[in-house]
Amino acid sequence: RPRVLSGIQPTAESFHLGNYLGAVRNWVALQDTHDAFYCVVDLHAITSGHDPALLRRRTRASAAQLLAAGLDPERCTLFVQSQVPEHAQLGWVMGCITGFGEASRMTQFKDKSQKQGADRSSVGLFTYPILQAADILLYQADAVPVGEDQRQHLELTRDLAQRFNTTFGATFTMPAPYIIKETAKITDLQEPTAKMSKSASTASGLIELLEDPAKAAKKIKSAVTDTGREIIFDQAAKPGVSNLLTIYSALTGRSIDDLVAAYDGKGYGDLKKDLAEVVVEFMRPIQQRTNTYLEDPAQLDKLLAIGAEKARTVAGATLKTVYDRIGFLAPG
Ligand code: ATP
Ligand code: MG
C-alpha cells in the first residue's frame, strides 16, 4: 500500500470548513487505500506565541474532531507530533541542508510574519516548513493530502529530499502533493479571494465545525456575494458565489452544474438559505461525536499514545538510517 502523511495545527479550538473540505475529508477517504499517518502538529502550533492550557485543550479537540470526522485508529495511525521526538530530531538535520535564501522564499512565512511584524516573528515560524518536510519524510510518504496553500511547502520538501538523497545516498521517498482541485482553497466568507484560515480569518469569515449552528447559518446568509444577481460559477468574476457553490457541492455531492441549473432564475438569498441548512445538517453530527470523545480525555490520550507508539516504529527506523548516513556514531 502506498503511504500518506498529513497534519493539522491545533491553533484553534475548532477546525473550519476549509480544513475539513480541503484536507480532513480526503484523509478519511485515503484510510481505505493507503497506509495512512495523520498527526496533530503541536510543534507547529507554538511558532506564533501560545497559551499552554489552551494548547492542551486544542490538541485534544483537534484529535476529537479528526475522530468525529471519520478517522479510525484501527485503519490509520493518529498521533500527536510532540510525542514522536524524531520529528524535531530530523527537523534539525533538514534545517542544516536548507539554504537561508531558500527558506526566505516561503510565501506563507512572508504573509504571517508581515501580519505579526517582522521583528516579532519567531525563528520557529521561519523554519516551520523545514520541520514540515521532516514530518513528511520520516514516514517515507508517497503522497501528502493538503490544501492549495501547502503546495510551496511540499515543493521545498521534495527539494530537500532530493538534495539529501543525492548527497548522502537514497534515503527518502519522494512525496507527491495530493490536492483535490475543487476544494483546495475554500475562501473566507467576508473576503472571498483570501483563504479561510484559523489564524487569519475574522469570525464572520469563518465557519467553524464546532460553533453554534445558528451562528454558522447566519454567517452563510451574510456572506459577501458579488455584484449582479446571477448564480453562476466564475471564480474570477464571482468569487463569493463560487465559494458558496463549491461548499454546497462538496457537502452534498451535487455537481456545480447541477446546482447552477437548479438555481437558475433564483436569487443569492435562496442559495444562501439552502446552503445554511446544508451546513447546519453537516455540523450537528460532527459536534455530537466530537463532544463524546472529549467527555473522556483519558481514553483519548490513551488512543493517541498508542498512535504515537505506532508512528515511532516507522519514524525511528528512518531517523536511524539518516543518522548513520550523515556520519553520526551509533549509540552503544
Ligand atoms: P493557520 O491559519 O493556523 O495556518 P489553517 O487554517 O491554515 O491554520 P492548518 O492547520 O495550517 O490550518 O492546515 C490544515 C490543513 O487544512 C492543511 O492541509 C491546509 O492546506 C488545509 N487548509 C487550510 N485552510 C484551507 C482552506 N481555506 N481551503 C482548503 N484547505 C485548507
Ligand atoms: Mg495553515
PDB file of all heavy atoms in Angstrom, residues 64 68 209-210 282-295:
ATOM      1  N   ALA A  64     -10.115  14.914  18.675  1.00  0.00           N
ATOM      2  CA  ALA A  64     -11.526  14.508  18.767  1.00  0.00           C
ATOM      3  C   ALA A  64     -12.270  14.814  17.465  1.00  0.00           C
ATOM      4  O   ALA A  64     -13.083  14.009  16.990  1.00  0.00           O
ATOM      5  CB  ALA A  64     -12.201  15.225  19.943  1.00  0.00           C
ATOM      6  N   ALA A  68     -14.141  12.330  15.009  1.00  0.00           N
ATOM      7  CA  ALA A  68     -15.544  12.603  14.691  1.00  0.00           C
ATOM      8  C   ALA A  68     -15.770  12.691  13.186  1.00  0.00           C
ATOM      9  O   ALA A  68     -16.822  12.322  12.668  1.00  0.00           O
ATOM     10  CB  ALA A  68     -15.987  13.907  15.365  1.00  0.00           C
ATOM     11  N   LEU A 209     -16.348  24.217  12.626  1.00  0.00           N
ATOM     12  CA  LEU A 209     -17.156  22.999  12.767  1.00  0.00           C
ATOM     13  C   LEU A 209     -17.842  22.925  14.123  1.00  0.00           C
ATOM     14  O   LEU A 209     -18.911  22.349  14.245  1.00  0.00           O
ATOM     15  CB  LEU A 209     -16.295  21.744  12.579  1.00  0.00           C
ATOM     16  CG  LEU A 209     -15.529  21.579  11.266  1.00  0.00           C
ATOM     17  CD1 LEU A 209     -15.030  20.152  11.121  1.00  0.00           C
ATOM     18  CD2 LEU A 209     -16.383  21.957  10.070  1.00  0.00           C
ATOM     19  N   LEU A 210     -17.201  23.509  15.151  1.00  0.00           N
ATOM     20  CA  LEU A 210     -17.754  23.358  16.500  1.00  0.00           C
ATOM     21  C   LEU A 210     -18.580  24.556  16.958  1.00  0.00           C
ATOM     22  O   LEU A 210     -19.011  24.613  18.100  1.00  0.00           O
ATOM     23  CB  LEU A 210     -16.618  23.106  17.506  1.00  0.00           C
ATOM     24  CG  LEU A 210     -15.753  21.862  17.257  1.00  0.00           C
ATOM     25  CD1 LEU A 210     -14.755  21.667  18.392  1.00  0.00           C
ATOM     26  CD2 LEU A 210     -16.616  20.616  17.079  1.00  0.00           C
ATOM     27  N   PHE A 282     -24.740  19.253   8.352  1.00  0.00           N
ATOM     28  CA  PHE A 282     -23.419  18.638   8.336  1.00  0.00           C
ATOM     29  C   PHE A 282     -22.732  18.771   9.705  1.00  0.00           C
ATOM     30  O   PHE A 282     -22.072  17.856  10.192  1.00  0.00           O
ATOM     31  CB  PHE A 282     -22.566  19.299   7.243  1.00  0.00           C
ATOM     32  CG  PHE A 282     -21.098  19.108   7.420  1.00  0.00           C
ATOM     33  CD1 PHE A 282     -20.500  17.880   7.155  1.00  0.00           C
ATOM     34  CD2 PHE A 282     -20.298  20.146   7.881  1.00  0.00           C
ATOM     35  CE1 PHE A 282     -19.136  17.695   7.349  1.00  0.00           C
ATOM     36  CE2 PHE A 282     -18.940  19.970   8.074  1.00  0.00           C
ATOM     37  CZ  PHE A 282     -18.363  18.742   7.807  1.00  0.00           C
ATOM     38  N   MET A 283     -22.895  19.930  10.326  1.00  0.00           N
ATOM     39  CA  MET A 283     -22.190  20.203  11.582  1.00  0.00           C
ATOM     40  C   MET A 283     -22.696  19.397  12.769  1.00  0.00           C
ATOM     41  O   MET A 283     -21.906  18.957  13.613  1.00  0.00           O
ATOM     42  CB  MET A 283     -22.337  21.692  11.941  1.00  0.00           C
ATOM     43  CG  MET A 283     -21.570  22.632  11.044  1.00  0.00           C
ATOM     44  SD  MET A 283     -22.063  24.333  11.323  1.00  0.00           S
ATOM     45  CE  MET A 283     -21.410  24.609  12.970  1.00  0.00           C
ATOM     46  N   ARG A 284     -24.008  19.231  12.838  1.00  0.00           N
ATOM     47  CA  ARG A 284     -24.583  18.645  14.054  1.00  0.00           C
ATOM     48  C   ARG A 284     -23.967  17.316  14.462  1.00  0.00           C
ATOM     49  O   ARG A 284     -23.502  17.175  15.594  1.00  0.00           O
ATOM     50  CB  ARG A 284     -26.107  18.508  13.904  1.00  0.00           C
ATOM     51  CG  ARG A 284     -26.825  19.825  14.048  1.00  0.00           C
ATOM     52  CD  ARG A 284     -28.331  19.593  14.194  1.00  0.00           C
ATOM     53  NE  ARG A 284     -29.096  20.791  13.854  1.00  0.00           N
ATOM     54  CZ  ARG A 284     -29.206  21.853  14.660  1.00  0.00           C
ATOM     55  NH1 ARG A 284     -28.610  21.849  15.836  1.00  0.00           N
ATOM     56  NH2 ARG A 284     -29.909  22.905  14.278  1.00  0.00           N
ATOM     57  N   PRO A 285     -23.958  16.324  13.580  1.00  0.00           N
ATOM     58  CA  PRO A 285     -23.403  15.022  14.000  1.00  0.00           C
ATOM     59  C   PRO A 285     -21.908  15.082  14.342  1.00  0.00           C
ATOM     60  O   PRO A 285     -21.449  14.400  15.249  1.00  0.00           O
ATOM     61  CB  PRO A 285     -23.654  14.109  12.788  1.00  0.00           C
ATOM     62  CG  PRO A 285     -23.963  15.007  11.649  1.00  0.00           C
ATOM     63  CD  PRO A 285     -24.498  16.280  12.216  1.00  0.00           C
ATOM     64  N   ILE A 286     -21.171  15.959  13.628  1.00  0.00           N
ATOM     65  CA  ILE A 286     -19.737  16.096  13.938  1.00  0.00           C
ATOM     66  C   ILE A 286     -19.562  16.639  15.353  1.00  0.00           C
ATOM     67  O   ILE A 286     -18.732  16.193  16.129  1.00  0.00           O
ATOM     68  CB  ILE A 286     -19.047  17.039  12.922  1.00  0.00           C
ATOM     69  CG1 ILE A 286     -19.080  16.409  11.530  1.00  0.00           C
ATOM     70  CG2 ILE A 286     -17.630  17.403  13.371  1.00  0.00           C
ATOM     71  CD1 ILE A 286     -17.776  16.415  10.791  1.00  0.00           C
ATOM     72  N   GLN A 287     -20.389  17.613  15.691  1.00  0.00           N
ATOM     73  CA  GLN A 287     -20.316  18.191  17.035  1.00  0.00           C
ATOM     74  C   GLN A 287     -20.649  17.157  18.101  1.00  0.00           C
ATOM     75  O   GLN A 287     -19.970  17.057  19.121  1.00  0.00           O
ATOM     76  CB  GLN A 287     -21.270  19.387  17.149  1.00  0.00           C
ATOM     77  CG  GLN A 287     -20.871  20.524  16.240  1.00  0.00           C
ATOM     78  CD  GLN A 287     -21.635  21.818  16.512  1.00  0.00           C
ATOM     79  OE1 GLN A 287     -22.581  21.838  17.291  1.00  0.00           O
ATOM     80  NE2 GLN A 287     -21.232  22.881  15.850  1.00  0.00           N
ATOM     81  N   GLN A 288     -21.691  16.386  17.836  1.00  0.00           N
ATOM     82  CA  GLN A 288     -22.089  15.364  18.802  1.00  0.00           C
ATOM     83  C   GLN A 288     -20.960  14.374  19.043  1.00  0.00           C
ATOM     84  O   GLN A 288     -20.601  14.073  20.180  1.00  0.00           O
ATOM     85  CB  GLN A 288     -23.296  14.599  18.269  1.00  0.00           C
ATOM     86  CG  GLN A 288     -24.584  14.988  18.954  1.00  0.00           C
ATOM     87  CD  GLN A 288     -25.792  14.543  18.139  1.00  0.00           C
ATOM     88  OE1 GLN A 288     -25.695  13.600  17.344  1.00  0.00           O
ATOM     89  NE2 GLN A 288     -26.914  15.192  18.321  1.00  0.00           N
ATOM     90  N   ARG A 289     -20.380  13.897  17.953  1.00  0.00           N
ATOM     91  CA  ARG A 289     -19.321  12.894  18.092  1.00  0.00           C
ATOM     92  C   ARG A 289     -18.069  13.493  18.742  1.00  0.00           C
ATOM     93  O   ARG A 289     -17.435  12.858  19.575  1.00  0.00           O
ATOM     94  CB  ARG A 289     -18.973  12.279  16.727  1.00  0.00           C
ATOM     95  CG  ARG A 289     -20.075  11.355  16.195  1.00  0.00           C
ATOM     96  CD  ARG A 289     -19.560  10.496  15.046  1.00  0.00           C
ATOM     97  NE  ARG A 289     -19.257  11.279  13.850  1.00  0.00           N
ATOM     98  CZ  ARG A 289     -20.114  11.493  12.859  1.00  0.00           C
ATOM     99  NH1 ARG A 289     -21.322  10.956  12.908  1.00  0.00           N
ATOM    100  NH2 ARG A 289     -19.762  12.203  11.818  1.00  0.00           N
ATOM    101  N   THR A 290     -17.746  14.727  18.378  1.00  0.00           N
ATOM    102  CA  THR A 290     -16.582  15.385  18.995  1.00  0.00           C
ATOM    103  C   THR A 290     -16.766  15.465  20.500  1.00  0.00           C
ATOM    104  O   THR A 290     -15.869  15.131  21.281  1.00  0.00           O
ATOM    105  CB  THR A 290     -16.392  16.803  18.417  1.00  0.00           C
ATOM    106  OG1 THR A 290     -16.205  16.708  17.011  1.00  0.00           O
ATOM    107  CG2 THR A 290     -15.182  17.493  19.038  1.00  0.00           C
ATOM    108  N   ASN A 291     -17.952  15.879  20.925  1.00  0.00           N
ATOM    109  CA  ASN A 291     -18.216  16.004  22.364  1.00  0.00           C
ATOM    110  C   ASN A 291     -18.094  14.666  23.074  1.00  0.00           C
ATOM    111  O   ASN A 291     -17.592  14.594  24.196  1.00  0.00           O
ATOM    112  CB  ASN A 291     -19.604  16.606  22.596  1.00  0.00           C
ATOM    113  CG  ASN A 291     -19.617  18.082  22.234  1.00  0.00           C
ATOM    114  OD1 ASN A 291     -18.568  18.728  22.235  1.00  0.00           O
ATOM    115  ND2 ASN A 291     -20.779  18.607  21.894  1.00  0.00           N
ATOM    116  N   THR A 292     -18.539  13.615  22.422  1.00  0.00           N
ATOM    117  CA  THR A 292     -18.427  12.294  23.040  1.00  0.00           C
ATOM    118  C   THR A 292     -16.963  11.949  23.285  1.00  0.00           C
ATOM    119  O   THR A 292     -16.607  11.470  24.359  1.00  0.00           O
ATOM    120  CB  THR A 292     -19.071  11.230  22.121  1.00  0.00           C
ATOM    121  OG1 THR A 292     -20.392  11.666  21.809  1.00  0.00           O
ATOM    122  CG2 THR A 292     -19.132   9.874  22.790  1.00  0.00           C
ATOM    123  N   TYR A 293     -16.103  12.213  22.309  1.00  0.00           N
ATOM    124  CA  TYR A 293     -14.677  11.920  22.509  1.00  0.00           C
ATOM    125  C   TYR A 293     -14.080  12.791  23.604  1.00  0.00           C
ATOM    126  O   TYR A 293     -13.225  12.359  24.367  1.00  0.00           O
ATOM    127  CB  TYR A 293     -13.895  12.102  21.206  1.00  0.00           C
ATOM    128  CG  TYR A 293     -14.138  10.983  20.219  1.00  0.00           C
ATOM    129  CD1 TYR A 293     -14.840  11.209  19.034  1.00  0.00           C
ATOM    130  CD2 TYR A 293     -13.673   9.698  20.476  1.00  0.00           C
ATOM    131  CE1 TYR A 293     -15.069  10.188  18.128  1.00  0.00           C
ATOM    132  CE2 TYR A 293     -13.907   8.662  19.575  1.00  0.00           C
ATOM    133  CZ  TYR A 293     -14.608   8.916  18.398  1.00  0.00           C
ATOM    134  OH  TYR A 293     -14.836   7.900  17.523  1.00  0.00           O
ATOM    135  N   LEU A 294     -14.529  14.039  23.682  1.00  0.00           N
ATOM    136  CA  LEU A 294     -13.951  14.960  24.663  1.00  0.00           C
ATOM    137  C   LEU A 294     -14.432  14.687  26.087  1.00  0.00           C
ATOM    138  O   LEU A 294     -13.811  15.125  27.057  1.00  0.00           O
ATOM    139  CB  LEU A 294     -14.257  16.406  24.270  1.00  0.00           C
ATOM    140  CG  LEU A 294     -13.462  16.914  23.058  1.00  0.00           C
ATOM    141  CD1 LEU A 294     -13.886  18.323  22.674  1.00  0.00           C
ATOM    142  CD2 LEU A 294     -11.957  16.877  23.343  1.00  0.00           C
ATOM    143  N   GLU A 295     -15.524  13.938  26.200  1.00  0.00           N
ATOM    144  CA  GLU A 295     -16.031  13.597  27.538  1.00  0.00           C
ATOM    145  C   GLU A 295     -15.071  12.677  28.272  1.00  0.00           C
ATOM    146  O   GLU A 295     -15.101  12.596  29.499  1.00  0.00           O
ATOM    147  CB  GLU A 295     -17.397  12.898  27.426  1.00  0.00           C
ATOM    148  CG  GLU A 295     -18.555  13.861  27.476  1.00  0.00           C
ATOM    149  CD  GLU A 295     -19.830  13.238  26.923  1.00  0.00           C
ATOM    150  OE1 GLU A 295     -19.949  11.985  26.924  1.00  0.00           O
ATOM    151  OE2 GLU A 295     -20.694  14.012  26.479  1.00  0.00           O
TER     152      GLU A 295
END
